[in-house]
Amino acid sequence: MNVLLWMAAILLILMILIGGDKGKRSFIAIFLNFGVIFFTIFIMTIPKVDPIILTLIASTVISCINLFYINEVNNKTITAFISTIITVVILLLFILIVTESAMIQGFGAEEAEELSVFSLYIGVDFTKIAASVIIMSTIGAITDTAIAISSPMREMFHHYPSISRKELFAFGISIGKDILGTSTNTLFFAFFGGYLALLIWFKDLSYTLEEIVNSKIFSAEIITIFCAGIGVALIIPITAWINSYFLIKQRVKNKIINKDT
């Protein structure tokens, strides 16, 4: 417990020294997001609750925390929020199809021994649970990408107010290209870092490459990485288009107001 408190204190001090007030809000946001996820998991075990609806609500709350609480309510966070929600809805529909087709829901053979003493008849839809888990795993990367594109596009528009919508959209896409590679690789290494013990276990059990790839645990995590990568790739053009649309619309509106006055 003392180690956790000391590490939390060090993290808080560094975030305040480097990020100032925004760093302090970012630190608090970690615990707020943890509370949202914990509450979502608790409610999700109730049989009559739809995990998909609950996931959409949780994703909306998490997006509000990551965007509005940390970066305050402004034009760039509003457009990033709209882009995030649109991407999550599209991605959720895609994930539902993938999870049902790939049959990655439920537990794998490697987990059967540990779960043998428990009853699996708990009255929840494991297909929807699997889709919810994937969405909750990707929402952070999606919101980060959205604000990372929205913010520099606002700065570009501020310094070059006469820029065209096509040029502004191309600028957002060029930023997204730089983010895409690093974000997908971050998700990839996060998986292997978190499941390194599982891979060592596969080696000790003398699993062949085919058995590893077809393992439900492994394939479920790989599909999660792919879905997260698709979400990050998908939000780039969505955020770039929404930002370019609203910025140019704002410029036209300001010209009309100035002309009338």
Side-chain angles (χ1 to χ4, degrees):
M1 186 65 180
N2 291 334
V3 175
L4 295 178
L5 292 175
W6 274 107
M7 292 186 69
I10 293 171
L11 177 61
L12 175 61
I13 293 171
L14 289 175
M15 293 181 74
I16 292 176
L17 289 176
I18 297 173
D21 186 57
K22 186 176 290 187
K24 182 175 67 176
R25 291 198 300 268
S26 299
F27 181 81
I28 298 173
I30 295 174
F31 296 93
L32 293 176
N33 287 328
F34 175 79
V36 172
I37 294 174
F38 184 82
F39 182 75
T40 302
I41 294 173
F42 177 77
I43 299 296
M44 198 174 288
T45 56
I46 300 175
K48 293 183 179 180
V49 175
D50 191 337
I52 301 302
I53 302 298
L54 186 61
T55 300
L56 289 175
I57 296 173
S59 299
T60 303
V61 175
I62 291 173
S63 299
C64 289
I65 293 172
N66 292 341
L67 295 173
F68 298 140
Y69 177 71
I70 296 176
N71 301 286
E72 301 179 348
V73 180
N74 48 54
N75 291 332
K76 65 181 180 182
T77 54
I78 291 174
T79 52
F81 176 77
I82 295 172
S83 305
T84 299
I85 298 302
I86 293 174
T87 304
V88 167
V89 172
I90 295 173
L91 189 62
L92 186 56
L93 296 174
F94 173 75
I95 289 172
L96 281 172
I97 298 173
V98 171
T99 52
E100 190 169 352
S101 300
M103 300 183 68
I104 60 171
Q105 68 274 9
F107 304 99
E110 294 80 8
E111 302 166 307
E113 184 177 351
E114 298 178 2
L115 297 170
S116 59
V117 297
F118 300 103
S119 174
L120 300 180
Y121 297 100
I122 58 176
V124 295
D125 191 336
F126 279 99
T127 302
K128 292 182 179 180
I129 293 292
S132 299
V133 169
I134 295 175
I135 283 293
M136 298 299 286
S137 302
T138 60
I139 186 65
I142 290 174
T143 54
D144 286 345
T145 305
I147 194 67
I149 295 174
S150 179
S151 182
M153 286 184 69
R154 294 277 168 180
E155 290 297 321
M156 173 63 76
F157 182 77
H158 176 72
H159 292 290
Y160 301 96
S162 61
I163 189 172
S164 66
R165 181 183 298 178
K166 184 177 180 180
E167 292 173 333
L168 194 59
F169 176 79
F171 176 72
I173 294 296
S174 66
I175 297 172
K177 290 179 181 178
D178 295 333
I179 299 172
L180 183 61
T182 55
S183 297
T184 50
N185 276 283
T186 299
L187 295 168
F188 177 78
F189 287 112
F191 159 74
F192 278 100
Y195 280 83
L196 185 60
L198 176 65
L199 298 176
I200 295 173
W201 189 30
F202 283 154
K203 180 181 179 298
D204 291 339
L205 293 176
S206 300
Y207 271 43
T208 63
L209 180 61
E210 291 80 7
E211 289 174 329
I212 294 175
V213 172
N214 287 284
S215 171
K216 180 176 286 190
I217 299 177
F218 184 84
S219 59
E221 294 303 322
I222 292 296
I223 288 175
T224 300
I225 294 174
F226 288 155
C227 290
I230 291 171
V232 172
L234 190 62
I235 200 171
I236 291 172
I238 292 176
T239 306
W241 187 87
I242 290 177
N243 268 281
S244 59
Y245 173 80
F246 279 103
L247 287 172
I248 299 301
K249 185 178 179 180
Q250 180 183 0
R251 183 177 65 188
V252 174
K253 184 178 179 180
N254 291 336
K255 284 183 178 179
I256 294 174
I257 293 174
N258 294 331
K259 186 177 181 181
D260 292 338
T261 56

